[in-house]
Every structure is written in C-alpha cells, then in structure tokens.
Amino acid sequence: MLIITCPFCGERNESEFSFGGPAGADRPDPTKVSDAEWVDYLTVVPNPLGPVQERWCHTRGCGEWLTIWRDTRTHDIVGGPDGA
C-alpha cells in the first residue's frame, strides 16, 4: 500500500486516492486519428520501468489533484506532490 503525501492533508493511505493516469498524457482528437490509434489510446496502458510521473486525486479527502513520481520497479514514491 502506498502512503501518498497530500500537500493539504498530509500523509494518507492510497485507498483515499483515485489514480488519474500518467501525467502529461495528451488525449488525441478522435476525429483526427485512425480507429486503430483511438482504440490503442483507450486500451493500451504504458508500463515503463523506472520513475514515472502520475496524477492522483484525493477523492476521499480534500478533492485536490496532485502529481507524484513513482518508481514502477519498487512502487516507491520518489518525488513528492507536483514534482517536489
């Protein structure tokens, strides 16, 4: 279980948060990409090794969105909220 530090509420259990996906993932315009590219965007989740920047929402807390860096190999949070 991850312990995520919310900048407003302090350290909280991962169960209070909702995963929002990788930070900076641009949503393509579905009218300008092929059907195959659109399906890939909706269904293929990138799974890189090492530190990744992720968005999380404190849904069972203050409701704020934050960005953290998490190492996918160890599941450790290696950078605080919003890259700090």
Side-chain angles (χ1 to χ4, degrees):
M1 188 67 60
L2 287 174
I3 299 297
I4 299 174
T5 303
C6 174
F8 303 102
C9 305
E11 290 186 352
R12 296 290 192 261
N13 190 293
E14 170 188 2
S15 63
E16 291 188 16
F17 294 83
S18 297
F19 180 66
D26 294 329
R27 179 185 172 108
D29 182 346
T31 63
K32 295 183 180 177
V33 296
S34 69
D35 288 344
E37 291 171 315
W38 183 242
V39 169
D40 281 349
Y41 170 77
L42 294 174
T43 60
V44 178
V45 179
N47 191 19
L49 288 176
V52 294
Q53 194 175 23
E54 301 174 331
R55 299 282 293 155
W56 290 80
C57 182
H58 196 182
T59 51
R60 293 186 180 98
C62 63
E64 292 294 319
W65 281 91
L66 58 137
T67 304
I68 62 170
W69 283 90
R70 183 179 61 85
D71 191 320
T72 60
R73 295 169 295 196
T74 62
H75 210 47
D76 292 335
I77 296 175
V78 294
D82 301 305

